[in-house]
Amino acid sequence: MKMIKICNLSEFSDNNIISKIVNSKNIALVKIKEQVFAFDDECTHEKYPLSHGMIDENNGNPILECSYHGTKFNLKSGKVVALPATKPLKIYKTEIKQGEVWVEL
Amino acid sequence: MENKDRARQIVSGYKYDFKDPEEYVYKEEKGLNENVIKNISKIKKELQWVTDFRLKSLGIFNAKKMPTWGADLSKINFDEICYYIKPTEKLARSWEEMPDNIKKTWDRLGIPEAERKFLSGVGVQYDSETVYHKILKDLALKGVVFVDPDIGLNPTEEKIEEMAETLDISIDVARRNLMQAHEKFKEFFSTVVPPRDNKFAALNSSVFSGGSFIYVPKGVKLNMSMPLQAYFRINASNMGQFERTLIIADEDSEVSYLEGCTAPVYSKQSLHAAVVEVVALRNAKVRYTTIQNWSSDVYNLVTKRAVAYENATVEWVDCNLGSSVSMKYPSVYLVGKGAKADMLSVAYAGRGQHQDVGNKAIHAASETSSRIISKSVSKDGGKSTFRALVRIEEDADNCKTTTECSALLLDEKSKTDTIPTIEVNNHTASANHEASVGRLSEEALFYLQSRGLSDEEARAMIVLGFLNPIVKTLPLEYAIEFNKLIEMSMEGSVG
Ligand code: FES
């Protein structure tokens, strides 16, 4: 596992999910209130891209909703908070260093 | 019942075909758009987030395509349907308080009598709204809540006082019960069946009205042979009923819920698109029984799903007799170790009917088990389709599943299809599947006739025997009623 620079913070607008290919993996990233979350760009339900999804909030937790069948994941823990997916989402550790976004992969 | 009466009913084909005059306090224009949704929300005095949830769901409904698999839905005209009819100003506290025409309906269906004799609680819905909801006082004192989902969404002071008065409990107890249940409601509402799940779940989420919200607190076990019952009645023609049911059984609790549904026969289509969400927390047990007997002009497109946590048990008992088309596949997501699902279904498809039904079990945790047993009877050109999906996930060890489906064809014109899918992704699983399709056995018919039964009686007896393993799981009163309905459907079946 090592930290890899993915992009600049200036590429993000709030709650807008972007998708990058890193080491032949599809990674989705989103900035929510100064924090960047990185996760697999593939829903654990039927593998559709999560970068098409929507961001919401529930009791202070950032929530990602898959745009295909509505599964919701908690972006802090990766836990499923609404079916139909049952498997958690892989969340990657991120760091912002001097305006650059780094992800542990 | 006198033979003549029975014969008359059979000619009309449907014993629930009585109509009340359409009387209501509010009826929405036909068709679906944002204004309809805002009106429904305004009438219900909903919080802004609920209105937003409805509007977002409408967008999803409009964007999703009609399903192209399954039954033929091409004749549904969404613009011709009325999405909301409010029958009365407020919930009745007793049957006597109800408007006469509506009360008569329940008397004819025998609901007040059943409530007195063997039910723990009753909720009844007439067109778009529930008009009565009551449970036994001692259950209320244990914190059990059985109300309209509107109250679960927003338990106002007015609702709390109404509940206290109806159930004859103190306002403090009513408030404690409703606030406790409301917290759970917020936690689980639309997490089992989100609006994006499918087109009809989105439709329901945009116009839902009525249904049941049940919360059973930790450790409270209701008598499984005294169910909570809900009864759904569509009275108006060209009407859509979109009830929403959420049952939350907290840890170590038990509850049995039973729903029945009927409508008069019109020549125009009606639509029933319900969403049912069941949450069985650790060690909880929920039995959900449906006796669906809609009239032959109702499209019945329902999403029913349960989630079972550690060592919880969910049982679906689903009897489908009526409707022109049913598409319904009650499912259980087994997400906790040791959770169990038991799913029994009966489908009867007569002339012009297509019962496209089945079950789904998703084994997402180890040592979970599921059993799916389905029986269908097709007659007079009716079609029954059984679909099952069982999936055992890679990391779910030592799971067991059994699927058994049997179909009985009563004549050459009728059809049946069986489409089971079993996906096993873990080598420690044990999966069984059995399927059979048969015709009435001439030998059995001959044997019964040689014992003095007429041809018709012999046929009915074979069908009842075929369905009995499932029917016997119903509460006695309903098993008797169900058998009577099957016998009536079987009359005139000779030749
Ligand atoms: S693909 Fe994401 S919920 Fe189905």
Side-chain angles (χ1 to χ4, degrees), chain A residues 43-48 50 66-71 73 83-85:
Chain A
C43 182
T44 63
H45 178 230
E46 286 182 3
K47 301 187 189 303
Y48 284 100
L50 285 169
C66 176
S67 60
Y68 292 88
H69 310 105
T71 289
F73 298 98
L83 297 175

Side-chain angles (χ1 to χ4, degrees), chain B residues 203-263:
Chain B
L203 175 62
N204 176 284
S205 303
S206 63
V207 290
F208 69 92
S209 182
S212 302
F213 167 47
I214 295 172
Y215 172 65
V216 187
K218 276 185 191 165
V220 176
K221 293 184 176 12
L222 274 73
N223 181 343
M224 294 301 269
S225 55
M226 279 186 78
L228 297 173
Q229 167 159 4
Y231 201 93
F232 299 96
R233 174 85 179 162
I234 296 178
N235 182 57
S237 103
N238 262 142
M239 155 76 195
Q241 192 175 65
F242 307 99
E243 86 272 9
R244 181 127 199 155
T245 291
L246 172 61
I247 298 178
I248 303 167
D250 215 325
E251 294 177 8
D252 300 299
S253 68
E254 288 185 6
V255 61
S256 170
Y257 174 79
L258 191 143
E259 63 179 8
C261 21
T262 60

Side-chain angles (χ1 to χ4, degrees), chain B residues 230-304:
Chain B
Y231 201 93
F232 299 96
R233 174 85 179 162
I234 296 178
N235 182 57
S237 103
N238 262 142
M239 155 76 195
Q241 192 175 65
F242 307 99
E243 86 272 9
R244 181 127 199 155
T245 291
L246 172 61
I247 298 178
I248 303 167
D250 215 325
E251 294 177 8
D252 300 299
S253 68
E254 288 185 6
V255 61
S256 170
Y257 174 79
L258 191 143
E259 63 179 8
C261 21
T262 60
V265 179
Y266 292 102
S267 52
K268 295 172 182 166
Q269 48 161 329
S270 289
L271 176 59
H272 175 246
V275 163
V276 174
E277 300 180 287
V278 173
V279 179
L281 294 169
R282 196 167 56 86
N283 289 333
K285 180 171 180 180
V286 179
R287 178 181 300 146
Y288 193 117
T289 306
T290 303
I291 301 178
Q292 180 271 106
N293 197 16
W294 291 119
S295 55
S296 54
D297 43 13
V298 173
Y299 281 84
N300 182 43
L301 309 166
V302 175
T303 309
K304 290 184 161 173

Side-chain angles (χ1 to χ4, degrees), chain A residues 45-46 54 56 65-72 81-87, chain B residues 56 60 64 190-192 194 196-197 305-307 333 335 362 364 393-395:
Chain A
H45 178 230
E46 286 182 3
M54 282 77 50
D56 203 350
E65 180 184 354
C66 176
S67 60
Y68 292 88
H69 310 105
T71 289
K72 289 185 180 175
V81 291
L83 297 175
T86 52
K87 285 187 215 129
Chain B
K56 179 176 157 187
I60 299 169
K64 283 212 185 261
S190 139
T191 63
V192 186
R196 284 182 202 280
D197 191 82
R305 184 179 293 160
V307 55
Y333 282 61
V335 301
I362 306 294
E393 309 278 19
E394 307 89 84
D395 40 10

Side-chain angles (χ1 to χ4, degrees), chain B residues 310-477:
Chain B
E310 193 182 335
N311 288 324
T313 302
V314 174
E315 297 173 5
W316 292 109
V317 182
D318 208 44
C319 304
N320 293 291
L321 283 162
S323 77
S324 66
V325 167
S326 273
M327 283 178 77
K328 181 162 52 144
Y329 319 97
S331 336
V332 184
Y333 282 61
L334 300 145
V335 301
K337 189 173 170 189
K340 288 189 193 69
D342 212 3
M343 299 181 256
L344 312 176
S345 68
V346 168
Y348 177 90
R351 183 174 302 130
Q353 286 183 286
H354 185 178
Q355 304 281 8
D356 195 312
V357 295
N359 292 104
K360 191 155 119 178
I362 306 294
H363 293 252
S366 296
E367 288 165 41
T368 49
S369 60
S370 63
R371 183 173 73 131
I372 295 174
I373 298 185
S374 142
K375 293 194 174 258
S376 69
V377 177
S378 309
K379 175 178 173 282
D380 295 333
K383 180 172 179 186
S384 63
T385 306
F386 168 74
R387 295 171 203 272
L389 171 66
V390 178
R391 188 187 310 132
I392 298 179
E393 309 278 19
E394 307 89 84
D395 40 10
D397 292 329
N398 303 318
C399 297
K400 289 193 189 111
T401 179
T402 302
T403 304
E404 278 173 39
C405 41
S406 26
L408 193 57
L409 284 169
L410 297 191
D411 51 50
E412 300 291 331
K413 294 180 285 183
S414 303
K415 285 195 190 133
T416 186
D417 281 324
T418 304
I419 311 168
T421 307
I422 301 177
E423 257 180 62
V424 179
N425 300 304
N426 180 305
H427 71 277
T428 62
S430 138
N432 291 308
H433 173 239
E434 268 177 48
S436 65
V437 177
R439 296 191 178 277
L440 275 189
S441 142
E442 290 301 325
E443 206 179 320
L445 271 177
F446 176 75
Y447 174 80
L448 289 169
Q449 283 172 332
S450 71
R451 291 287 183 277
L453 294 185
S454 69
D455 192 4
E456 198 166 87
E457 286 165 338
R459 282 169 195 267
M461 186 171 277
I462 292 171
V463 170
L464 291 178
F466 171 72
L467 298 178
N468 190 49
I470 294 179
V471 175
K472 74 180 185 203
T473 65
L474 297 175
L476 183 63
E477 290 75 5

